[in-house]
Amino acid sequence: MSSDPRPDAGRRVSLLNLRTAAGQVFFVQSLIVVLLVLAAVAAVALQASRDALKEGRRESVVAAHSFASAPGVAPAFGSPDPSAVLQPLAEEARRRAGMDFVVAMSTAGIRYTYPLPQEIGKKFVGTIGPALKGQTVVEQVGGPRLPSGGHTVVQAVVPVTDAHGTVVGLVSAGITVNSLAGRWTAQLPIILGTGAGAFAVATAGSLLVARRLRQQTRGLAPAELARLYEHHDAVLHAVREGVLITDAGGRLLLANEEAHRLLGLAEDARGRPVRELGLPEQLTGLLLSPGAVTDEVYLVEDRLLAVNKRPTFPDPASGGSVVTLRDTTELAAVTGRAEVARERLKLLYEAGVRIGTTLDVVRTAEELAEVAVPQFADAVTVDLLDSVLRGWEPTAEGWRHLRRAAISGDVRMMPMYPVGELITFSPEAPQMRTLQQARGVLEPDLRESPGWQAQDPTRARKALECGLRSLVSVPLTARGVVLGVANFYRMAGAPEYEPDDLSFAEELAMRAAVAVDNARRFTREHKMAVTLQRSLLPRGRPEQDALDVAWRYLPAEGRGVGGDWFDVIPLSCARVALVIGDVVGHGLHAAATMGRLRTAVHNFATLDLPVDEVLGNLDDLVVRMDNEERSDGGPDGREVEGVTGATCLYAIYDPVTGACTMARAGHPGPLVVAPDGTVSSPEVPASAPLGLGGYPFETTQMRLPEGSDLVLYTDGLVEDRDRDIDTGTGALRRALEGAGGRGPEETCRAVVDALKPDRPRDDIALLVARTRLFPPSRVAEWDVAPDPAAVPAVRAQCRERLRQWGLEETAYTTELILSELVTNAIRYGAPPVRARLLYGRTLICEAADCSSTSPRLRRAATTDEGGRGMFLVAQFAQRWGTRYTSRGKVIWAEQHVHDGAGADVASRPVDALLEQFGDIAP
């Protein structure tokens, strides 16, 4: 079998098949085109004939009058030979006017002119009577043959008058009917061409229709289309979605079985107006409205119907609409539960973000209360065990005593327990049952909750009057420990709490409890660290004569305690040591390291070591501590944190000379405020921080006028994230300017107010020391000859000076101590030897020589002549020691005065003291 390679060939052939819709359309269109062409030809011919006849009558009248009134025509009728004169004129006029003839005749009707000469002189065929009376006659008659052919003519007869108005002749002009008919035949090609074009358009339209029908019907035959319609109709009535189709007039055209069921339509509802169907007014208005609707929900009896509406035509005003109905009653319930679940998940996520932003127990409780209002509750209260607020471990014994930590929502306006009040819950109260059962308690209606009302009947009655209705009480449990209880309230008008709400409240409380417990643990650790650190810092100002001191210590916020520390250490001979340092890091490790360093500084200061040696020993200690901690590891085998770094500034001030010796290890340099208020920066050499090992520490010495302020500080005061150390130091200098008239306490207050950040990220330590000088009248000093015979003179001078000071009661003891010290220096030291008395809070005796040999206590036998002098000094003095200098040593002894101690010691027999050094019997 052969096939046409052209895919459209079969379609064009099928166009001529009258069995197809396209063939039938083509036949009908062709027939219509032919009939329209024939009718057009007939109409044109008829109309053209009428128009031509009318035009011929007009033209003949015009031609006749034109010739009759032409110059020379009227006189020619009176000439001897009218035909000879008028014939040429008539022919010329005929040709110009386009007439078939122009005839001039006598009043008797005899032709003078005619296109055919043989007809001249014959009787004119037509009506001339009215023309003889001066009228115009137009008529259609048959006459003699004409050159154009035909006999029937349309002619006009008009009179020819002379100058006196007398009719002297007649003129007739006419045109044959054949000439008139020829005028409309020129339109026939146009008509036929138009018909052919219409036929071509019809053919093309039929082809397009056929092609379009094939596309839309997918090549289906009418039988197949019928079966398809039947299938669609079956589906329409079987689908579980109501379908309504209305026309532009608001009548129901179609309703499937589901629509009848959902709307309760009658069997004869089809074709009736929508307003007569008995539908709800809202749904009726929707069906009659022209606009489109998408998934709008309407209540019809007990059903929730989701309605969609679309116009059946592109222009809503042109026709009806199709409406679909879907029963969403069960879907709405499921969707509502899903929406609630989504909102709950969103609230849980928000709680995870907002709860626990700080490590403060109260603030965490407030965040829990705030996050639940108003999404879950109208009001929330959080009650915590008092031990939790203090950072202690919670116990079951504390359940009956809870303290209100937070309130949020409408409860603020109700007669409820205020924040901070300690509450004792009764065993029947929902809160106590929650704590005992370790699970939530639901009270849907508080008006029916005797346990809640019995807790405080007066408050409960007033709260119910204010609109409190429903309660969910859940425990705050973390790591198996109950920390408190959270109470979620709803007011009248809000839905009562349900079991699902209880589960959600327990989940929310569980997440918040972890944050509360973290805050509690941090509070405990922070208090422990703060307690440790404050126990390691100075608790009071030591008694000394050299300085007036004041200090401030501000721990960092949110990072725990740090390693900043300071100290004021009284030394021998009325001197005072000032120490300030910083251990890198925060927490217990930094505080413990700081405590070890502070203890070491006290020990080194007791040995009266120079400032550079103190820093050197501290450096060795930090290196040793770091090595031990990093190598030994923790108790569970893990490597512990070592000392990451430390800085220190150590200074010794001598109030007798006003000299101040300083050295620093990586610490910011001090500032000095002169008595006149000017601020200066002493040139203290910068050395490496502690812990690097092997680096020397340089010292500097200066003299400070009395009334000067020596300001020591840590880097937390002058440096933070928002400013560098140079900017902070400049601000500190500006805060200190003019501080000469203020006391140390006022200076500390002014500096902290000016430089303290809103939330310090590092510890701040500030120490202000105002210098004092020993009055010369309270200092006695003598040069002693290197001869034991000079000792009595020293004793006499000492006795005189004590008398001047009013210390006669201590004269015996002081003379004994000074004489022993001087004798020891003469006997075992090297010249020159000097003796000095200092009278301040205590009475200090000194003996200086150029030897580095230090005396020591020893047990002397009864047969020994010496060896008991330092023992006597130790017995009579409150404390004594040796201080080394660059030129030798100073042996000193210190006594308390005006307290009876010296007299008490002096009353003891010297022999009894010496007996303690007797030999021990075997």
Side-chain angles (χ1 to χ4, degrees):
M1 296 179 63
S2 63
S3 60
D4 193 337
R6 298 170 298 174
D8 294 336
R11 297 182 181 181
R12 287 196 290 271
V13 172
S14 66
L15 184 63
L16 302 177
N17 189 353
L18 294 180
R19 293 183 179 181
T20 65
Q24 294 172 3
V25 171
F26 176 71
F27 176 77
V28 172
Q29 288 181 340
S30 300
L31 181 61
I32 291 173
V33 169
V34 171
L35 292 177
L36 287 177
V37 169
L38 293 177
V41 171
V44 169
L46 181 61
Q47 184 65 31
S49 297
R50 292 179 180 178
D51 292 344
L53 183 60
K54 184 177 179 181
E55 183 66 18
R57 294 165 65 91
R58 187 186 65 79
E59 290 180 355
S60 62
V61 172
V62 172
H65 275 288
S66 298
F67 184 75
S69 59
V73 173
F77 278 95
S79 65
D81 189 0
S83 295
V85 178
L86 294 173
Q87 179 66 16
L89 296 176
E91 287 301 309
E92 179 66 20
R94 179 181 68 82
R95 287 191 296 273
R96 292 181 178 179
M99 296 287 104
D100 287 330
F101 66 88
V102 175
V103 178
M105 68 189 79
S106 64
T107 55
I110 302 300
R111 302 187 186 97
Y112 291 146
T113 63
Y114 201 73
L116 297 176
Q118 61 269 24
E119 296 294 330
I120 296 175
K122 293 183 179 180
K123 185 67 174 181
F124 175 73
V125 179
T127 303
I128 63 174
L132 294 176
K133 296 179 180 180
Q135 298 178 356
T136 299
V137 178
V138 181
E139 59 183 349
Q140 182 177 351
V141 299
R145 185 176 60 85
L146 292 170
S148 60
H151 299 279
T152 301
V153 298
V154 176
Q155 62 183 9
V157 181
V158 299
V160 179
T161 58
D162 58 8
H164 301 288
T166 302
V167 177
V168 297
L170 300 173
V171 174
S172 177
I175 185 171
T176 63
V177 175
N178 293 337
S179 298
L180 294 174
R183 294 185 178 183
W184 70 268
T185 56
Q187 301 181 18
L188 187 59
I190 298 176
I191 297 174
L192 295 177
T194 303
F199 185 78
V201 171
T203 302
S206 298
L207 291 173
L208 293 176
V209 169
R211 186 172 183 178
R212 185 64 176 171
L213 286 175
R214 285 184 177 277
Q215 291 177 348
Q216 293 183 343
T217 62
R218 302 183 183 275
L220 298 177
E224 295 174 333
L225 287 175
R227 286 195 300 271
L228 184 63
Y229 171 78
E230 292 174 357
H231 295 164
H232 288 179
D233 187 65
V235 171
L236 178 67
H237 291 283
V239 71
R240 299 296 296 172
E241 187 168 309
V243 179
L244 300 174
I245 298 179
T246 60
D247 62 8
R251 290 183 176 273
L252 181 64
L253 300 181
L254 183 145
N256 66 351
E257 294 180 2
E258 183 68 8
H260 278 269
R261 184 184 71 84
L262 294 177
L263 300 178
L265 298 177
E267 293 294 333
D268 60 346
R270 184 174 180 179
R272 294 172 57 185
V274 173
R275 293 191 179 276
E276 298 178 4
L277 299 179
L279 300 177
E281 185 63 28
Q282 191 177 14
L283 186 58
T284 301
L286 170 67
L287 295 176
L288 296 177
S289 64
V293 171
T294 301
D295 287 337
E296 288 194 8
V297 180
Y298 293 86
L299 179 63
V300 178
E301 295 182 353
D302 59 344
R303 295 189 179 94
L304 289 174
L305 301 182
V307 181
N308 290 273
K309 179 183 177 184
R310 294 292 183 273
T312 54
F313 294 94
D315 183 7
S318 301
S321 59
V322 57
V323 178
T324 61
L325 309 171
R326 184 173 68 257
D327 191 352
T328 62
T329 305
E330 297 181 358
L331 179 62
V334 174
T335 303
R337 290 193 294 269
E339 180 66 19
V340 171
R342 188 183 69 83
E343 292 296 330
R344 295 287 171 82
L345 288 175
K346 180 180 178 182
L347 183 57
L348 287 177
Y349 171 78
E350 185 179 356
V353 174
R354 293 178 54 184
I355 299 176
T357 58
T358 66
L359 290 174
D360 183 83
V361 175
V362 174
R363 181 55 192 156
T364 303
E366 292 174 351
E367 290 169 344
L368 169 61
E370 292 169 358
V371 78
V373 176
Q375 292 93 333
F376 179 68
D378 295 323
V380 178
T381 62
V382 180
D383 304 324
L384 299 177
L385 275 68
D386 204 40
S387 58
V388 173
L389 292 171
R390 299 173 182 270
W392 302 342
E393 289 293 335
T395 59
E397 289 76 10
W399 286 359
R400 294 194 59 178
H401 302 286
L402 281 79
R403 192 174 298 276
R404 180 135 297 173
I407 297 178
S408 178
D410 293 338
V411 174
R412 298 176 184 271
M413 306 302 295
M414 291 188 177
M416 304 294 287
Y417 295 109
V419 173
E421 184 167 341
L422 190 64
I423 307 171
T424 301
F425 288 105
S426 63
E428 295 80 14
Q431 292 83 354
M432 182 55 63
R433 287 189 286 135
T434 293
L435 294 174
Q436 292 173 344
Q437 301 171 8
R439 57 184 177 86
V441 173
L442 173 64
E443 295 288 349
D445 192 345
L446 292 175
R447 294 172 296 184
E448 301 176 0
S449 176
W452 178 78
Q453 297 180 24
Q455 170 66 30
D456 192 330
T458 303
R459 291 179 186 267
R461 178 178 53 79
K462 292 181 179 179
L464 293 175
E465 292 175 356
C466 292
L468 207 62
R469 285 296 179 268
S470 190
L471 166 66
V472 168
S473 183
V474 292
L476 295 173
T477 306
R479 302 175 179 93
V481 178
V482 178
L483 308 176
V485 60
N487 306 295
F488 302 92
Y489 295 93
R490 282 183 180 173
M491 309 296 291
E496 294 182 352
Y497 281 119
E498 299 178 351
D500 289 344
D501 298 318
L502 176 60
S503 300
F504 173 77
E506 289 177 337
E507 176 69 20
L508 182 62
M510 181 180 65
R511 299 193 178 196
V514 174
V516 172
D517 191 53
N518 290 338
R520 179 193 66 81
R521 291 170 178 264
F522 173 79
T523 301
R524 181 189 63 188
E525 299 294 335
H526 182 72
K527 286 186 176 181
M528 291 173 57
V530 169
T531 302
L532 172 62
Q533 185 181 44
R534 295 198 179 278
S535 67
L536 297 176
L537 292 175
R539 298 187 178 183
R541 295 172 176 81
E543 294 185 356
Q544 41 83 28
D545 297 314
L547 300 168
D548 291 330
V549 295
W551 57 70
R552 292 291 187 275
Y553 172 76
L554 304 175
E557 295 186 11
R559 300 182 61 186
V561 297
D564 289 15
W565 55 286
F566 58 90
D567 217 333
V568 180
I569 306 174
L571 301 179
S572 63
C573 306
R575 295 170 307 127
V576 175
L578 300 176
V579 192
I580 191 165
D582 185 2
V583 176
V584 177
H586 293 81
L588 288 174
H589 183 267
T593 303
M594 177 269 289
R596 297 176 68 179
L597 294 181
R598 179 171 180 260
T599 302
V601 170
H602 270 270
N603 294 332
F604 298 146
T606 302
L607 297 176
D608 258 332
L609 298 178
V611 292
D612 55 339
E613 293 187 23
V614 171
L615 293 182
N617 289 328
L618 281 179
D619 183 55
D620 294 339
L621 175 63
V622 172
V623 172
R624 187 165 57 255
M625 290 165 54
D626 187 45
N627 293 336
E628 291 175 353
E629 292 178 353
R630 293 187 183 276
S631 61
D632 292 345
D636 55 356
R638 293 181 298 177
E639 183 178 351
V640 299
E641 181 182 2
V643 181
T644 57
T647 65
C648 182
L649 187 149
Y650 187 75
I652 296 178
Y653 176 69
D654 188 348
V656 178
T657 62
C660 183
T661 305
M662 289 182 284
R664 60 189 178 110
H667 200 83
L671 295 177
V672 175
V673 183
D676 59 359
T678 58
V679 181
S680 61
S681 300
E683 293 295 334
V684 181
S687 301
L690 301 176
L692 297 183
Y695 292 94
F697 298 95
E698 300 182 39
T699 63
T700 185
Q701 187 178 56
M702 67 190 73
R703 293 191 179 274
L704 299 178
E706 186 175 13
S708 299
D709 287 341
L710 181 62
V711 181
L712 309 181
Y713 55 91
T714 57
D715 57 357
L717 181 66
V718 295
E719 183 180 19
D720 59 15
R721 185 179 301 175
D722 301 326
R723 64 184 176 190
D724 57 25
I725 191 169
D726 293 333
T727 303
T729 303
L732 176 59
R733 295 175 66 94
R734 289 190 295 273
L736 291 173
E737 289 178 354
R742 299 193 296 250
E745 279 290 339
E746 296 174 347
T747 301
C748 285
R749 188 181 306 112
V751 170
V752 170
D753 292 343
L755 276 74
K756 176 181 176 295
D758 294 335
R759 295 181 60 85
R761 296 182 176 89
D762 194 6
D763 294 0
I764 296 175
L766 174 66
L767 177 62
V768 178
R770 175 156 296 179
T771 61
R772 292 185 298 192
L773 289 177
F774 249 78
S777 59
R778 294 295 185 97
V779 179
E781 190 172 6
W782 307 278
D783 292 327
V784 180
D787 185 356
V791 175
V794 174
R795 293 171 61 97
Q797 293 173 338
C798 174
R799 186 183 310 110
E800 178 61 24
R801 182 53 62 97
L802 293 176
R803 186 187 62 78
Q804 295 176 5
W805 290 343
L807 300 177
E808 291 86 353
E809 70 277 7
T810 63
Y812 176 78
T813 304
T814 305
E815 290 178 31
L816 178 60
I817 292 174
L818 184 60
S819 63
E820 290 296 333
L821 294 180
V822 172
T823 300
N824 187 77
I826 294 174
R827 180 175 298 180
Y828 302 105
V833 178
R834 294 182 60 84
R836 186 170 69 170
L837 289 179
L838 300 177
Y839 175 35
R841 297 176 184 270
T842 62
L843 183 61
I844 301 172
C845 300
E846 297 180 3
D849 65 84
C850 292
S851 172
S852 59
T853 303
S854 175
R856 61 186 179 87
L857 292 177
R858 66 184 181 89
R859 296 184 64 86
T862 55
T863 59
D864 293 338
E865 295 183 0
R868 300 178 180 85
M870 295 310 299
F871 176 77
L872 293 175
V873 171
Q875 291 295 317
F876 289 140
Q878 271 62 50
R879 62 191 188 109
W880 71 280
T882 303
R883 174 169 59 91
Y884 293 94
T885 66
S886 59
R887 294 180 297 178
K889 68 176 182 299
V890 175
I891 306 174
W892 56 270
E894 185 176 301
Q895 304 173 75
H896 293 299
V897 295
H898 305 304
D899 59 358
D904 182 53
V905 175
S907 64
R908 299 168 59 187
V910 177
D911 293 339
L913 294 175
L914 295 178
E915 286 178 359
Q916 298 183 29
F917 274 78
D919 291 337
I920 301 176

